[in-house]
């Protein structure tokens, strides 16, 4: 087993463990931290695939911006800390079934990959894929890039307006 294989299995394990941990937690902030672990594991997998640009975008957009948006959403909404309103994750049996399912899925994927034949090696990747993406993004795809940024800005302003309306209605009652 080469170093790349070991790195792949460790990063895949981190991504899967983050996802499963997120499903098992009840505190929303802890869930966001587990989701960040998943995002970082996936970014590491992109680096192994020689897609450095996608890995950096994964870290900046998902691990950074989306996580901050989720934390702002948590802060803008009302959460009750009463014990009777807390949800449980199903206890020991639920966690045991989840662990067995994850292990079974991992073994199925492992044995499926071991028998898989990828054939001949593909063509070599371009050495400067980030430079190529940058040239395309800021020359040929400039207008769609700017349109997406305006749409995201409008969505952010709409979310703030909706949050302010909910706050005013709660204060009126």
């Amino acid at each position: 087993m080469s170093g790349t294989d070991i790195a792949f299995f460790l990063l895949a394990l981190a991504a899967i463990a983050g996802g499963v941990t997120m499903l098992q937690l009840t505190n929303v902030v802890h869930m966001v931290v587990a989701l960040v672990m998943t995002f970082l594991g996936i970014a590491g997998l992109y680096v192994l695939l020689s897609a450095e640009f996608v890995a950096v975008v994964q870290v900046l957009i998902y691990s950074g911006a989306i996580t901050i948006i989720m934390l702002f959403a948590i802060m803008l909404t009302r959460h009750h800390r009463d014990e009777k309103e807390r949800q449980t994750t199903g206890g020991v049996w639920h966690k045991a079934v989840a662990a067995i399912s994850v292990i079974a899925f991992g073994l199925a994927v492992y044995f499926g990959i071991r028998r898989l034949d990828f054939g001949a090696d593909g063509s070599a990747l371009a050495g400067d894929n980030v430079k190529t993406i940058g040239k395309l993004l800021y020359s040929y795809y400039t207008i769609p890039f700017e349109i997406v940024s305006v749409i995201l800005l409008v969505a952010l302003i709409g979310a703030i307006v909706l949050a302010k309306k909910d706050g005013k209605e709660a204060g009126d009652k």
Side-chain angles (χ1 to χ4, degrees), residues 4 31 39 43-44 57 60 68 70 86 90 104 112 116 132 137 142 147 154 162:
T4 304
M31 293 170 84
F39 289 152
V57 168
L60 290 177
I68 297 300
M70 283 190 273
R86 282 188 68 125
L116 187 62
T132 306
L137 187 63
T142 303
I147 290 172
V154 168
L162 289 175

Side-chain angles (χ1 to χ4, degrees), residues 9 33 46 48 59 74 79 81 96 98 102 116 122 127 132 136 158 166:
F9 283 116
V33 172
Y46 287 141
L48 286 178
V59 169
I74 292 167
H79 294 284
R81 298 289 289 174
V102 168
L116 187 62
T132 306
L136 283 174
D166 288 343

Side-chain angles (χ1 to χ4, degrees), residues 67-151:
T67 303
I68 297 300
I69 288 172
M70 283 190 273
L71 290 175
F72 277 131
I74 292 167
M75 291 188 308
L76 289 174
T77 57
R78 293 175 295 277
H79 294 284
H80 301 289
R81 298 289 289 174
D82 297 337
E83 287 299 319
K84 60 185 175 186
E85 292 184 14
R86 282 188 68 125
Q87 297 178 354
T88 62
T89 57
V92 175
W93 288 107
H94 182 76
K95 291 179 182 179
V97 168
I100 291 170
S101 300
V102 168
I103 291 170
F105 177 74
L107 290 173
V109 168
Y110 175 75
F111 288 119
I113 288 174
R114 298 305 289 175
R115 288 186 288 182
L116 187 62
D117 181 25
F118 290 108
D121 288 339
S123 62
L125 294 173
D128 245 355
N129 59 359
V130 175
K131 187 176 182 180
T132 306
I133 291 172
K135 282 183 180 178
L136 283 174
L137 187 63
Y138 290 112
S139 61
Y140 187 71
Y141 294 108
T142 303
I143 301 298
F145 182 75
E146 292 299 324
I147 290 172
V148 167
S149 67
V150 169
I151 289 172

